[in-house]
Amino acid sequence: MGGKQSRSSSKKDLNEVSVVPRRKSTFRGDQLGFSSAAERIRKYTTVHFGYSTLSLAMRGLDETPCELWELRELQKLNLSMNSLCSLPPSLGALDNLVVLNLWGNNLSCLPPEIGLLKKLRVLFACCNCLSKVPEELGSCTHLEVLSLANNQISGLPGSLASMRSLTKLNLSHNRIAHIPTCVYSMKGLVFLHLACNRLETIADQIQDLVNLKILIVEGNSIHSLPKTLCFLESLELLNVDFNELQSVPVELYLLSRLGRLACHPLDKGLHIIHNPLLKPIQEVLQGGLSALYNYLKPT
């Protein structure tokens, strides 16, 4: 009961903050025993691993307190699991943000001003209602992790090609029919998640992602794999399950780091058995990945 009461009072405080009128003053608020609305939000900030952090997760917010955007020192902001439908242009004022978590809201778009967050390294915007991504996001060239999973996105703007520092990109559970061209310019990608989209092919440019270790494209409609995919010698996990593959490229044996056939979604290796594979590939796979590679290798 104590936890519920505390959460309720915290939410009440935040709701009060959002409607308190701003007052102009030439003296410090603490001289009269009160603090500004911005200060009342600031008291919820903590220093976590050296970062100024504020979590407003699960507060039932349908809009953000206007005083929030005065906290320019913030480096990590968590607005997840609320009912936010939009973010104001004032978001761009938080130019020290390193991590922004917007997971689990009702956002239909991201404001163009998000491009002003030049220090941003991690952006979680999954589980929203996004149908597109603003071109201005391409200005966040220090981004290392970007999750746009579980939205309604069908493509990405070409400006995101400048994200050369990006190592993890999650676009799963969207409406993507072709891997966006800009993705092939993200040379630093180690993790690429495109499961449960509308993919039918993978372009030959996939070979440009030379640092890729994990590629997940399960649950699409892919009918063939390009042989250039087999040049990604760093691949440790390749999940092509639940597609429409009937065969595999002869060059697949080059992916030596896959190591084994995998079944559990988190296992490293090759996930492929849930496809309408034709004989003899289907039969050879019963002997495991090594049997498949021995079959594919030229004699």
Side-chain angles (χ1 to χ4, degrees), residues 247-259:
S247 62
V248 297
V250 172
E251 296 82 1
L252 193 68
Y253 72 89
L254 296 173
L255 299 177
S256 58
R257 295 195 180 185
L258 292 182

Side-chain angles (χ1 to χ4, degrees), residues 187-202:
K187 309 294 186 183
L189 277 184
V190 174
F191 173 96
L192 177 57
H193 199 339
L194 285 156
C196 301
N197 275 281
R198 301 176 179 178
L199 300 176
E200 295 185 2
T201 60
I202 298 176

Side-chain angles (χ1 to χ4, degrees), residues 32-288:
L32 294 182
F34 63 85
S35 57
S36 69
E39 287 302 318
R40 286 199 284 162
I41 293 184
R42 184 172 279 114
K43 73 180 181 181
Y44 290 95
T45 63
T46 60
V47 176
H48 190 248
F49 292 105
Y51 291 96
S52 175
T53 303
L54 174 62
S55 177
L56 299 180
M58 295 186 291
R59 299 283 186 174
L61 300 175
D62 54 14
E63 62 180 21
T64 51
C66 58
E67 292 80 10
L68 170 62
W69 315 116
E70 297 180 28
L71 308 185
R72 292 192 59 182
E73 73 277 10
L74 276 183
Q75 295 172 291
K76 293 184 177 183
L77 175 60
N78 186 351
L79 292 170
S80 66
M81 297 297 290
N82 282 293
S83 300
L84 301 175
C85 294
S86 63
L87 293 172
S90 307
L91 172 66
L94 301 185
D95 52 6
N96 283 304
L97 278 184
V98 175
V99 178
L100 177 58
N101 189 347
L102 303 172
W103 180 76
N105 280 282
N106 298 319
L107 298 172
S108 58
C109 64
L110 298 174
E113 289 77 11
I114 198 169
L116 299 175
L117 307 181
K118 306 295 186 182
K119 298 180 181 180
L120 200 62
R121 296 208 302 264
V122 178
L123 174 59
F124 296 114
C126 43
C127 299
N128 278 281
C129 304
L130 302 175
S131 59
K132 60 181 181 179
V133 177
E135 291 190 10
E136 290 80 3
L137 185 61
S139 297
C140 300
T141 55
H142 291 291
L143 264 182
E144 298 173 6
V145 178
L146 175 59
S147 179
L148 298 167
N150 292 88
N151 279 286
Q152 301 168 18
I153 296 169
S154 58
L156 297 178
S159 60
L160 270 59
S162 61
M163 291 184 175
R164 301 300 175 89
S165 298
L166 203 65
T167 60
K168 296 181 180 180
L169 176 61
N170 190 342
L171 296 171
S172 63
H173 296 85
N174 275 288
R175 300 178 178 178
I176 298 172
H178 305 281
I179 298 179
T181 303
C182 63
V183 171
Y184 298 120
S185 297
M186 300 172 180
K187 309 294 186 183
L189 277 184
V190 174
F191 173 96
L192 177 57
H193 199 339
L194 285 156
C196 301
N197 275 281
R198 301 176 179 178
L199 300 176
E200 295 185 2
T201 60
I202 298 176
D204 288 340
Q205 294 99 304
I206 192 71
Q207 68 179 331
D208 295 337
L209 302 181
V210 293
N211 293 301
L212 207 58
K213 292 184 178 181
I214 298 175
L215 175 60
I216 304 173
V217 291
E218 68 172 327
N220 282 281
S221 300
I222 299 171
H223 50 77
S224 65
L225 299 176
K227 69 176 182 179
T228 55
L229 174 65
C230 306
F231 302 150
L232 300 179
E233 298 180 358
S234 296
L235 272 184
E236 299 175 359
L237 190 160
L238 174 60
N239 191 337
V240 293
D241 259 339
F242 301 102
N243 278 280
E244 298 178 4
L245 298 175
Q246 295 186 344
S247 62
V248 297
V250 172
E251 296 82 1
L252 193 68
Y253 72 89
L254 296 173
L255 299 177
S256 58
R257 295 195 180 185
L258 292 182
R260 59 172 178 167
L261 285 181
C263 296
H264 190 280
L266 297 180
D267 284 346
K268 290 184 178 180
L270 175 63
H271 301 249
I272 196 173
I273 59 175
H274 297 103
N275 278 280
L277 296 164
L278 300 177
K279 298 178 180 181
I281 298 298
Q282 186 182 60
E283 295 175 335
V284 171
L285 275 173
Q286 295 177 9

